[in-house]
């Protein structure tokens, strides 16, 4: 009896300790950041207090326009990413031969694993005035002078954001699509619905858990972006990530904390909506096996 | 006849679409290699001059050693924690809570997580060091590595464990002698995945880096201070090449594993 109890205790420690450590290392920093966002900045340091100074500085100043721009860029680029990632995931789940599925998914995961900052440097090079795209267009005689709007423009930002975050979004959507029971679709056909209406009323709604997860991932990435904006946006172009880093650079920790907390709060809102709307088991059933 | 032609056409359209998207994703992997073999340095010092120049910068060489050290630590620590979390997930039947916690870093902007961790360490009085950089990267790699290990564990039937228990094995014996041999390739895969993510992490690390550098934080700070140069392109080429090599290794492992599953 005591042996059994001791082995249970051991199990509790062995399995519980890493979990507790991870929880501390993830939730602890977030809690401290939320606390610091109410602190007071004093010269080069900060002191505990309960003021809304940092939030007032953020919401009342030029940083708020950065927030609005970030929000809009995140929403619009997420829409573009979904418009690409969904057809890709759909094609992989439904059109590609099953024995090739893993290989195709693998091809999509490779670029995601290479630091997107390096990939963004490459875009700056490809899109520049003397870059490959302009050279090719001039060489083909399609344009006389290099196009200026390719680099340091919204177009470049969108391209950078999409290539940075879209590849990963294919996976949750594919996971969701491949988990759908095909008989649902067949039932819809048998009941006389065409392919388009079947897609809109059966397949699409059933794949929404994955779509929403992918959208949160893309939105969060684009919203907090700092590298794509500073490489492809040109001097002075800022997204939320740049604004937070610039607050860190002037050693205004409460302000950086306030802006970060605000971003995390938005993300928590989205995640909560996701948990409310969808069943995680439905989405991750494949991974979690029989449990 | 027309029907089969139409279906063949649609198959081609699907592959064309996938190829175009993949083209866009792979295109940015090439320019650094081209630029690393160009420039006045190459005309003077030969084709590999820019690569040799990497070794001349002591700051960068220090960064390379840090990257290797942190990468190895992350690759060793992450899969072990992932495995224990995956075991806890199976033992305690609280998938929403546990998985939600572990996957959380995926959904927090890197800058925000970096700021939060930096403040956390600062208030606890922990100075930035190799250790803090390692911890930040482990947390970033954890969701991916845990998903890899969970996928492998989902293919392992718990019945074998019960059989082992009935034959008198205790939990540890059952794990090490029955389950581990079945899932170790997933653990290896999780470790390589963590290594790749460690090699390619910038922002979270750069906020808690203190005086130390990794290759990636060095690259980013050089870009911000003086801009890119051929040596940095050579460095990027090496990083991309190494990442692709590790990815290939991971794919090889997975293929062997899939073949093993089919054979078994």
């Amino acid at each position: 009896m005591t042996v059994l109890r001791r082995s249970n205790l051991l199990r509790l420690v062995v399995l519980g300790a890493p979990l507790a450590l991870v929880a501390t290392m993830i939730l602890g920093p977030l809690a401290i950041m939320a606390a610091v966002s109410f602190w007071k900045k004093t010269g080069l340091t900060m002191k505990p207090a309960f003021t809304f100074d940092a939030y007032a500085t953020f919401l009342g100043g030029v940083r708020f326009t950065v927030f609005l721009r970030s929000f809009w860029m995140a929403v619009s680029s997420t829409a573009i990413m979904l418009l690409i990632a969904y057809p890709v995931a759909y094609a992989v789940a439904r059109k590609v031969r099953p024995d090739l599925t893993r290989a195709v998914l693998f091809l999509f995961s490779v670029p995601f694993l290479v630091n997107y900052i390096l990939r963004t440097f490459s875009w700056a090079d490809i899109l520049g005035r003397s870059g490959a795209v302009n050279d090719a267009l001039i060489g083909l005689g399609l344009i006389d002078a290099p196009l200026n709007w390719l680099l340091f423009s919204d177009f470049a930002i969108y391209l950078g954001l999409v290539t940075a975050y879209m590849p990963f979004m294919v996976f949750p959507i594919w996971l969701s699509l491949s988990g759908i029971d095909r008989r649902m679709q067949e039932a819809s056909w048998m009941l006389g619905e065409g392919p388009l209406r079947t897609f809109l009323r059966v397949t699409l709604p059933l794949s929404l858990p994955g779509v929403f997860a992918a959208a949160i991932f893309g939105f969060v990435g684009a919203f907090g972006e700092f590298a794509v904006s500073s490489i492809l946006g040109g001097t002075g172009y800022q997204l939320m990530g740049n604004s937070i880093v610039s607050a860190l650079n002037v050693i205004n920790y409460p302000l950086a904390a306030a802006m970060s907390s605000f971003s995390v709060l938005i993300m928590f809102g989205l995640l909560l909506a996701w948990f409310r709307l969808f069943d995680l088991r439905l989405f991750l059933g494949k991974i979690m096996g029989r449990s | 006849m027309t029907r089969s032609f139409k279906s063949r056409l649609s198959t081609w359209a699907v592959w064309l679409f996938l190829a175009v998207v993949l083209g866009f994703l792979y295109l940015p992997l090439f320019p650094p290699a081209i630029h690393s073999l160009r420039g006045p340095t190459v005309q003077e010092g030969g084709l590999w001059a820019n690569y040799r120049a990497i070794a001349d910068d002591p700051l960068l060489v220090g960064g390379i050693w840090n990257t290797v050290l942190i990468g190895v630590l992350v690759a060793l620590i992450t899969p072990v924690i992932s495995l224990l979390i995956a075991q806890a997930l199976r033992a305690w039947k609280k998938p929403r809570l546990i998985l939600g916690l572990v996957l959380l870093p995926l959904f927090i902007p890197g800058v925000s997580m970096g700021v939060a961790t930096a403040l956390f360490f600062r208030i606890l009085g922990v100075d930035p060091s190799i250790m803090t950089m390692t911890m930040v990267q482990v947390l970033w790699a954890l969701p991916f590595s845990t998903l890899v290990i969970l996928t492998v564990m989902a293919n392992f039937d718990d019945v074998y464990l019960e059989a082992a228990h009935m034959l008198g094995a205790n939990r540890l014996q059952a794990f090490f002698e029955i389950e581990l041999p079945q899932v170790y390739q997933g653990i290896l895969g999780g470790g390589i995945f963590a290594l790749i993510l460690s090699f390619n992490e910038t922002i979270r690390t750069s906020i808690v880096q203190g005086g130390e550098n990794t290759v990636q934080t060095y690259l980013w700070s050089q870009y911000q201070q003086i801009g890119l140069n051929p040596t940095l392109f050579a460095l990027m080429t090496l990083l991309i090449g190494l990442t692709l090599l590790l990815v290939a290794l991971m794919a090889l492992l997975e293929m062997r594993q899939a073949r093993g599953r089919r054979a078994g």
Side-chain angles (χ1 to χ4, degrees):
Chain A
M1 197 61 210
T2 46
V3 175
L4 190 68
R5 210 174 295 151
R6 199 184 301 154
S7 100
N8 272 341
L9 191 69
L10 184 72
R11 188 164 121 114
L12 189 71
V13 171
V14 169
L15 296 187
L19 207 57
L21 183 73
V22 169
T24 316
M25 284 304 301
I26 293 173
L27 302 178
L30 293 177
I32 286 198
M33 179 173 74
V36 167
S37 71
F38 296 108
W39 286 16
K40 220 174 170 57
K41 174 179 159 38
T42 52
L44 285 181
T45 58
M46 51 189 178
K47 69 165 193 267
F50 187 74
T51 81
F52 289 93
D53 289 1
Y55 286 95
T57 313
F58 165 42
L59 298 172
V62 66
R63 289 174 195 277
F64 191 63
T65 38
V66 176
F67 163 75
L68 289 177
R69 181 192 303 141
S70 269
F71 195 82
W72 164 245
M73 289 307 280
V75 169
S76 50
S77 66
T78 303
I80 298 172
M81 293 180 222
L82 282 178
L83 285 177
I84 302 170
Y86 196 94
V88 167
Y90 188 85
V92 175
R94 293 288 167 85
K95 304 288 178 188
V96 170
R97 288 212 321 267
D99 52 326
L100 292 178
T101 307
R102 295 191 81 85
V104 176
L105 279 178
F106 173 72
L107 285 178
F108 275 93
S109 71
V110 175
F112 174 74
L113 291 171
V114 174
N115 191 347
Y116 76 95
I117 296 177
L118 306 191
R119 290 185 279 136
T120 308
F121 285 142
S122 291
W123 280 126
D125 179 60
I126 294 168
L127 299 174
R129 279 182 66 86
S130 55
V133 176
N134 273 321
D135 278 359
L137 289 176
I138 291 175
L140 288 171
L142 292 173
I143 51 171
D144 298 324
L147 296 173
N148 279 323
W149 54 265
L150 283 178
L151 188 58
F152 305 141
S153 61
D154 278 351
F155 167 78
I157 301 279
Y158 279 123
L159 188 63
L161 289 176
V162 167
T163 42
Y165 298 107
M166 191 278 291
F168 188 72
M169 290 168 63
V170 170
F171 293 89
I173 303 177
W174 168 78
L175 204 61
S176 220
L177 276 170
S178 63
I180 296 174
D181 193 332
R182 289 283 202 106
R183 282 172 296 184
M184 305 250 197
Q185 190 181 321
E186 283 155 19
S188 165
W189 287 337
M190 271 187 271
L191 291 171
E193 294 285 17
L196 184 65
R197 278 176 70 90
T198 300
F199 172 75
L200 289 177
R201 299 188 56 182
V202 178
T203 311
L204 184 63
L206 284 172
S207 66
L208 280 182
V211 172
F212 207 81
I216 299 177
F217 180 83
F219 177 88
V220 164
F223 181 72
E225 187 49 52
F226 73 103
V228 170
S229 39
S230 58
I231 298 169
L232 299 177
T235 27
Y237 188 95
Q238 287 202 327
L239 289 179
M240 203 63 183
N242 308 100
S243 199
I244 294 173
V245 170
S246 80
L248 276 186
N249 288 341
V250 296
I251 326 189
N252 193 340
Y253 295 119
L255 181 59
M259 285 191 289
S260 281
S261 303
F262 201 77
S263 315
V264 173
L265 205 68
I266 292 179
M267 181 279 311
F268 266 119
L270 289 170
L271 277 186
L272 208 67
W274 187 65
F275 270 110
R276 274 281 142 110
L277 289 171
F278 307 110
D279 186 356
L280 192 68
R281 281 159 198 274
L282 206 71
F283 169 55
L284 287 170
K286 264 196 143 163
I287 284 178
M288 297 192 316
R290 282 161 295 277
S291 59
Chain B
M1 189 66 203
T2 48
R3 195 192 184 93
S4 91
F5 175 71
K6 229 171 111 181
S7 88
R8 214 177 320 153
L9 201 69
S10 89
T11 310
W12 276 105
V14 166
W15 283 108
L16 187 69
F17 169 67
L18 290 178
V20 168
V21 176
L22 283 172
F24 260 96
L25 295 178
Y26 279 81
L27 185 65
L29 301 185
F30 298 105
I34 297 167
H35 284 291
S36 73
L37 299 175
R38 274 189 190 163
T41 40
V42 169
Q43 275 152 18
E44 279 167 32
L47 194 58
W48 306 105
N50 294 324
Y51 289 87
R52 277 198 298 274
I54 292 174
D56 298 337
D57 184 346
L59 198 64
L60 178 52
V61 173
I64 292 175
W65 284 116
N66 285 340
T67 304
V68 172
L69 176 62
I70 294 172
V72 169
L73 285 173
V74 171
L76 290 176
I77 298 170
T78 316
V80 175
I81 298 183
S82 294
L83 177 69
L84 290 169
I85 285 175
Q87 295 281 334
L89 194 83
R90 189 174 62 193
W92 293 336
K93 312 269 180 219
K94 291 247 183 300
R96 270 168 167 260
L97 198 67
I98 297 175
L99 214 54
L101 174 73
V102 175
L103 297 189
L104 198 59
L106 274 185
F107 297 108
I108 297 178
V111 177
S112 297
M113 201 60 216
V115 170
T117 331
L119 289 171
F120 183 70
F121 286 139
R122 199 186 149 89
I123 283 175
L124 292 183
V126 179
D127 287 325
S129 66
I130 298 286
M131 228 43 241
T132 58
M133 292 154 93
T134 307
M135 277 169 101
V136 167
Q137 294 192 358
V138 166
L139 286 178
W140 169 234
L142 205 59
F144 298 95
S145 149
T146 307
L147 285 176
V148 170
I149 290 177
L150 277 174
T151 322
V152 176
M153 273 175 57
N155 289 319
F156 172 75
D157 200 331
D158 301 358
V159 171
Y160 290 112
L161 286 182
E162 279 164 35
H165 290 315
M166 271 192 277
L167 292 171
N170 65 31
R171 282 207 185 101
L172 277 180
Q173 281 173 320
F175 172 74
F176 279 107
E177 285 171 29
I178 307 295
E179 185 171 8
L180 193 60
Q182 300 260 353
V183 300
Y184 87 94
Q185 283 183 325
I187 299 168
L188 223 55
I192 299 174
F193 212 142
L195 187 62
I196 295 171
L197 289 169
S198 163
F199 273 150
N200 288 293
E201 215 295 312
T202 304
I203 185 65
R204 293 168 184 80
T205 317
S206 78
I207 295 180
V208 297
Q209 72 182 116
E212 303 285 349
N213 256 308
T214 66
V215 175
Q216 297 284 359
T217 62
Y218 171 86
L219 198 62
W220 180 243
S221 65
Q222 289 289 304
Y223 163 75
Q224 290 202 302
Q225 285 159 19
I226 53 173
L228 297 176
N229 59 50
T231 310
L232 292 181
F233 280 118
L235 185 65
M236 284 188 226
T237 311
L238 291 178
L239 282 170
I240 293 173
L242 188 64
T243 304
L244 295 181
L245 210 68
L246 286 169
V247 171
L249 187 68
M250 199 164 65
L252 213 67
L253 264 176
E254 205 184 88
M255 261 157 61
R256 268 184 47 190
Q257 199 181 311
R259 208 177 311 145
R261 248 201 319 275
R262 263 202 301 277

